[in-house]
Amino acid sequence: MARLRFKAVEEAQNRTATKVEIPTSKVTDFYGSNIFNDEVMRAMLSPEAYMKVTVAIKSGDKIDREIADEVAAAMKSWAVSKGATHYTHWFQPLTGGSAEKHDAFFDINLDGKAVEKFKGSALTQQEPDASSFPNGGIRATFEARGYTAWDPTSPAFIMYNEAGTGTLCIPSIFVSYTGELLDSKSPLLKSLHALDKAATDVAIIFDRHVEKVSATLGAEQEYFLVDKSLFNARPDLMMSGRTVFGHPPAKGQQLDDHYFGSIPPRVNAFMVDFEFEALKLGIPVRTRHNEVAPAQFEVAPTFEEVNLACDHNILLMDLMRKIARKHHFEVLFHEKPFAGINGSGKHNNWSLGTDTGVNLLSPSTKPKESLRFVTFLVNVVKAVHDNADLLRASIASAGNEHRLGANEAPPAIISIFLGTQMTKVLNDIENKEIVSIEKGENAYIKLGLNRIPSILLDNTDRNRTSPFAFTGNKFEYRAVGGSANSAQPMMILNTIVANQLLKFRVDYDTEMVDHEGKKEEVIVKILKGYIKESKKILFEGNGYGDAWKEEAEARGLSNIASTPEALKAYLHKDFIEIFERMGVLTEREFHARYEIELENYIKKIQIESRLIGDLAMNHVVSTAVKYQARLVQTAKALKDMDLDNEAQPVIHIIREISERVTEISKKVSEMTDSRKKANNIDNIEEQAKLYGTEVKSFFDEIRYHVDKLEILIDDEDWPLVKYRELLYIR
Ligand code: ADP
Ligand code: MG
């Protein structure tokens, strides 16, 4: 085994950067060249078809048969001209990733001739044999079929394989035959629709020209890179995406010398390569840098409409995995691949933008616009406050469980950071008596609304420990896991904000009747109430500290560390009621999602537990006893020579090995028993609970002794690639 380790280390050390050839450095020459975008449609469709498609994209309406045929024909000839041989509906079942089933354009006519075929019906709808996708019991009964349907708001794209031929991928939703949603995209689209309606109804209070509000997302993606050979020599990385054992290296991240440091050449080549491919797919990647931990990096795109941004993030992760292999890397998106070293998050930067070009969460120099800004800001705060447990559930997973609550990542407590200045503005609104706001600018000055833009422009007080932070013109939802599909947390955030804005509009209309139409006064009055009701969620301090846990508890905020516990929010009738009312998810669909997430959790812990058992016994213990046998020989030899004193330290090591091996064997066998016990439980909730408490509790106990053995046993014999070898890329 140790041979495999040394071979891998040697391979990794001898590698040089893979050469990447980019035809031109001028991005505009190739940006979006692999997508069926507006420009291509305009060139290839009849004016009538082009118009109908663009209207459908904007309104979300259905496209009729003839138009679909015309679009399909254009898409096909475009795709074939670019080397595509196949097409697929590209969708996001509840596995977290994407799915595809390729069909050839090529077909045989009745007279035996080969033709290239792609009808409108094949573009708009497909029936994948979907029985093996997670459905949480929805399709188990009588109708096992599901279907996928084209989402024209996200452009079709071509993905190329190793052989250089391509597949036309058509972004699609995935639903059961009975109409239940079985994917991440369809409820996201519904939530965006609900949010558009609710936010527009509020935005028109301030500007009657607003017709549409879109939510925007810029997802900063953190990831680790590990050399392919080293990765292959770590069964735990291969099978679970994280290392279950490994002693911390002498040098970790304590020197803070990796963050924003110079990017290693091999990594740089990889970045250039995948960014080039991403840009061709219209994914607007802009930022790249080293992250805090060694071997950790980040990529960030320019923000886009949420549905598009979510598709792009999933696509980007896929692309990165594929291209990493060309560079002899494996990319890790796991939330916590290495114990004791920072994990990876996906910071979801979220805002609201109108079709008139206004970012509703961006402060303005004009007091009236400031009031609009504060209105939207406070409504988001209120929505998060009222639905914090649901937001917590939306990011719950076995991987993120390592991160949330550990002392380096946002805690499992949902709180909002606003910055000192905005906190003060909210305090002023809450506490200052507003006699009459319509008496011109003075009232705004009293409220502090005149000061917002100038203070926010130099808003340097970023809080890196908050799970949900206002960052000047957007909220940054930082607690989302690195491997997650953003569609889930975004769908939840959109829906709770939509619900809140709807409530605001009702409150506003009601108050306006009593106040004889004094708009500003009414708004401030309502906001005062909202701030009072939700201010306990505002927190400016250190979210990683223990003091916050105590304070949060005193404030009555939830701190739900366990995934199965967090997921229970999906069963809460108040939350379900909101989602049914907003037309996003039904109770049955929520329940299905709950079950799928629980199952997922159980499977992940189960796999890790088996891995730990296998590695501990067949790799670590076996190595330890072999080494121990050698030490026994040495000790004997020393004694034979009457060197009793010299034999003592050797005997000491022999004893320590025995103790640790005994502990490991005992714990592994207890863990196996607890796994058996859990597997025999029919109730999935009970099962998840047992996995999350009992089974998982052995992980750290076993690891403790394994990691001690790692620093005790001869380096020459140690079978698992060590952290110091994994983490330092040259
Ligand atoms: P920082 O790096 O200081 O956090 P940036 O301005 O670089 O801030 O933005 C980080 C991320 O936030 C980027 O992905 C960016 O596209 C995104 N972002 C910026 N403005 C918005 C917005 N209005 N809506 C959504 N995301 C945004
Ligand atoms: Mg950021």
Side-chain angles (χ1 to χ4, degrees):
M1 266 319 273
R3 254 187 303 131
L4 179 60
R5 173 181 149 220
F6 288 117
K7 190 166 161 276
V9 169
E10 200 186 325
E11 277 171 10
Q13 280 174 345
N14 288 332
R15 278 200 234 282
T16 50
T18 306
K19 227 179 147 42
V20 183
E21 290 193 29
I22 306 291
T24 157
S25 56
K26 204 170 146 212
V27 173
T28 45
D29 284 350
F30 54 82
Y31 185 74
S33 58
N34 288 345
I35 52 175
F36 191 72
N37 59 14
D38 190 71
E39 205 181 312
V40 181
M41 278 198 286
R42 197 193 289 266
M44 297 191 67
L45 297 176
S46 69
E48 193 209 351
Y50 173 74
M51 205 188 70
K52 285 202 174 160
V53 173
T54 28
V55 169
I57 290 172
K58 281 209 184 95
S59 64
D61 288 346
K62 268 223 161 86
I63 288 170
D64 63 46
R65 193 71 177 275
E66 280 107 79
I67 300 293
D69 279 338
E70 194 186 326
V71 177
M75 238 185 225
K76 186 201 72 194
S77 51
W78 170 79
V80 170
S81 79
K82 295 193 65 79
T85 56
H86 288 66
Y87 66 91
T88 179
H89 273 202
W90 180 82
F91 57 102
Q92 295 160 35
L94 297 167
T95 49
S98 60
E100 43 201 84
K101 174 191 156 235
H102 299 189
D103 282 306
F105 284 124
F106 157 86
D107 211 346
I108 300 288
N109 257 353
L110 281 178
D111 53 4
K113 263 194 176 160
V115 285
E116 253 140 18
K117 235 182 139 164
F118 184 53
K119 284 239 181 82
S121 51
L123 163 66
T124 49
Q125 194 169 318
Q126 282 194 341
E127 271 180 49
D129 173 24
S131 48
S132 50
F133 290 115
N135 60 71
I138 279 185
R139 283 179 305 110
T141 44
F142 57 98
E143 183 58 89
R145 282 183 303 173
Y147 70 90
T148 54
W150 179 33
D151 164 22
T153 61
S154 182
F157 56 92
I158 300 177
M159 274 294 239
Y160 292 94
N161 54 36
E162 309 281 274
T165 64
T167 297
L168 171 71
C169 299
I170 300 155
S172 302
I173 59 162
F174 178 44
V175 295
S176 79
Y177 237 80
T178 40
E180 278 105 351
L181 315 184
L182 298 174
D183 68 342
S184 318
K185 186 194 260 287
S186 43
L188 178 68
L189 288 170
K190 289 184 171 203
S191 75
L192 288 163
H193 183 70
L195 181 56
D196 172 16
K197 240 179 127 284
T200 303
D201 278 354
V202 173
I204 54 173
I205 296 173
F206 303 91
D207 173 6
R208 62 192 166 77
H209 299 295
V210 174
E211 283 176 8
K212 188 176 168 67
V213 173
S214 304
T216 49
L217 166 65
E220 300 165 62
Q221 177 73 55
E222 294 175 335
Y223 62 95
F224 279 84
L225 285 175
V226 172
D227 184 89
K228 181 83 190 149
S229 298
L230 300 175
F231 175 88
N232 286 342
R234 288 282 317 213
D236 47 357
L237 274 182
M238 279 176 77
M239 283 189 250
S240 72
R242 79 174 182 101
T243 53
V244 295
F245 301 141
H247 197 276
K251 173 178 180 289
Q253 60 193 56
Q254 60 273 68
L255 295 178
D256 282 331
D257 53 355
H258 185 67
Y259 193 49
F260 282 24
S262 86
I263 300 172
R266 274 184 73 195
V267 177
N268 211 26
F270 160 69
M271 287 175 169
V272 170
D273 205 357
F274 86 73
E275 285 173 8
F276 176 60
E277 294 303 323
L279 290 165
K280 284 197 282 187
L281 289 171
I283 305 172
V285 286
R286 280 198 62 216
T287 317
R288 56 167 98 127
H289 61 78
N290 288 0
E291 255 303 328
V292 174
Q296 193 189 26
F297 307 91
E298 182 185 295
V299 53
T302 304
F303 67 93
E304 300 176 280
E305 187 275 331
V306 171
N307 176 42
L308 200 56
C310 286
D311 279 4
H312 279 169
N313 178 255
I314 290 291
L315 199 51
L316 183 65
M317 291 202 291
D318 207 30
L319 211 55
M320 287 168 73
R321 279 190 205 100
K322 280 185 190 149
I323 292 180
R325 290 183 194 131
K326 253 171 71 185
H327 295 261
H328 307 285
F329 279 130
E330 205 51 61
V331 52
L332 311 176
F333 294 113
H334 193 284
E335 286 74 12
K336 191 73 180 170
F338 304 100
I341 287 169
N342 272 13
S344 295
K346 176 154 25 212
H347 301 171
N348 280 213
N349 295 273
W350 176 93
S351 190
L352 295 170
T354 68
D355 58 346
T356 54
V358 173
N359 177 352
L360 293 167
L361 290 173
S362 186
S364 155
T365 43
K366 300 189 186 110
K368 274 205 171 172
E369 289 176 359
S370 278
L371 185 60
R372 172 178 63 193
F373 156 65
V374 171
T375 301
F376 278 92
L377 182 105
V378 171
N379 272 288
V380 174
V381 169
K382 178 86 161 73
V384 172
H385 169 270
D386 291 357
N387 303 281
D389 285 357
L390 197 53
L391 217 48
R392 168 67 185 91
S394 77
I395 50 162
S397 70
N400 220 10
E401 200 171 71
H402 292 283
R403 195 170 151 260
L404 303 178
N407 275 350
E408 52 166 88
I413 307 160
I414 298 287
S415 68
I416 303 177
F417 170 86
L418 287 182
T420 355
Q421 311 296 346
M422 279 316 297
T423 305
K424 179 150 189 339
V425 171
L426 261 54
N427 274 338
D428 285 353
I429 294 180
E430 184 196 348
N431 298 317
K432 285 195 182 156
E433 195 64 42
I434 300 306
V435 190
S436 173
I437 195 156
E438 16 138 46
K439 294 237 172 72
E441 306 272 296
N442 254 347
Y444 289 105
I445 292 171
K446 263 195 194 158
L447 287 173
L449 286 175
N450 61 320
R451 278 174 309 161
I452 299 174
S454 51
I455 50 185
L456 278 186
L457 282 180
D458 63 3
N459 185 359
T460 41
D461 62 330
R462 287 291 171 89
N463 183 316
R464 305 268 171 210
T465 66
S466 175
F468 200 91
F470 181 67
T471 53
N473 59 359
K474 60 191 182 282
F475 278 98
E476 184 175 0
Y477 189 14
R478 305 175 76 254
V480 180
S483 70
N485 182 341
S486 292
Q488 178 80 355
M490 286 293 102
M491 176 267 289
I492 302 248
L493 179 62
N494 293 338
T495 309
I496 61 175
V497 172
N499 178 57
Q500 175 53 43
L501 288 170
L502 222 63
K503 240 194 255 173
F504 173 80
R505 182 70 217 218
V506 171
D507 288 348
Y508 173 80
D509 290 338
T510 317
E511 288 281 340
M512 281 295 269
V513 178
D514 297 343
H515 281 73
E516 294 151 1
K518 288 176 193 162
K519 189 156 104 174
E520 284 81 1
E521 217 173 289
V522 165
I523 294 171
V524 170
K525 182 174 174 219
I526 298 169
L527 296 186
K528 268 177 186 284
Y530 287 177
I531 295 168
K532 268 196 186 61
E533 286 159 24
S534 50
K535 68 178 173 191
K536 74 168 189 284
I537 200 140
L538 302 178
F539 178 61
E540 302 291 302
N542 177 15
Y544 294 0
D546 283 331
W548 170 228
K549 287 185 192 147
E550 281 165 36
E551 191 186 330
E553 193 178 343
R555 289 189 189 191
L557 297 176
S558 306
N559 180 6
I560 312 168
S562 117
T563 300
E565 269 314 303
L567 288 171
K568 283 196 178 137
Y570 288 169
L571 304 179
H572 200 293
K573 67 177 184 356
D574 293 348
F575 294 144
I576 293 169
E577 198 261 323
I578 293 175
F579 278 71
E580 293 201 319
R581 195 151 33 80
M582 295 290 115
V584 176
L585 282 175
T586 64
E587 177 166 11
R588 196 162 131 91
E589 287 161 348
F590 242 129
H591 203 271
R593 260 148 232 264
Y594 173 69
E595 283 203 3
I596 290 167
E597 295 288 346
L598 276 185
E599 258 167 35
N600 212 337
Y601 180 78
I602 292 169
K603 281 183 201 149
K604 292 252 164 82
I605 307 279
Q606 192 178 52
I607 291 169
E608 286 185 2
S609 163
R610 286 181 183 146
L611 259 170
I612 288 171
D614 169 38
L615 290 182
M617 298 310 294
N618 303 327
H619 293 60
V620 174
V621 167
S622 61
T623 304
V625 293
K626 267 188 238 155
Y627 177 60
Q628 192 185 37
R630 268 165 44 205
L631 294 182
V632 170
Q633 293 303 322
T634 311
K636 262 196 196 143
L638 289 169
K639 284 208 161 183
D640 285 349
M641 295 166 77
D642 285 330
L643 295 169
D644 275 14
N645 275 345
E646 286 75 1
Q648 277 318 307
V650 183
I651 292 168
H652 187 78
I653 300 176
I654 293 171
R655 286 223 175 89
E656 185 175 343
I657 292 176
S658 286
E659 282 161 21
R660 302 215 182 271
V661 162
T662 309
E663 271 307 296
I664 292 171
S665 314
K666 190 172 133 238
K667 294 289 175 200
V668 166
S669 123
E670 283 172 22
M671 178 174 72
T672 311
D673 288 343
S674 83
R675 208 164 63 223
K676 278 189 192 138
K677 193 170 109 194
N679 291 346
N680 281 330
I681 296 175
D682 277 339
N683 181 314
I684 180 172
E685 253 175 25
E686 286 300 311
Q687 199 179 41
K689 194 170 158 198
L690 212 59
Y691 263 105
T693 51
E694 262 193 57
V695 178
K696 208 180 158 191
S697 72
F698 291 103
F699 291 11
D700 282 347
E701 291 182 33
I702 296 169
R703 177 175 195 140
Y704 175 77
H705 295 290
V706 169
D707 290 356
K708 288 283 184 205
L709 285 176
E710 183 183 322
I711 50 170
L712 197 62
I713 289 173
D714 189 347
D715 184 56
E716 292 286 325
D717 296 335
W718 192 252
L720 296 169
V721 179
K722 294 186 172 179
Y723 270 26
R724 63 161 191 265
E725 294 155 346
L726 283 166
L727 287 165
Y728 293 93
I729 299 168
R730 53 192 70 227

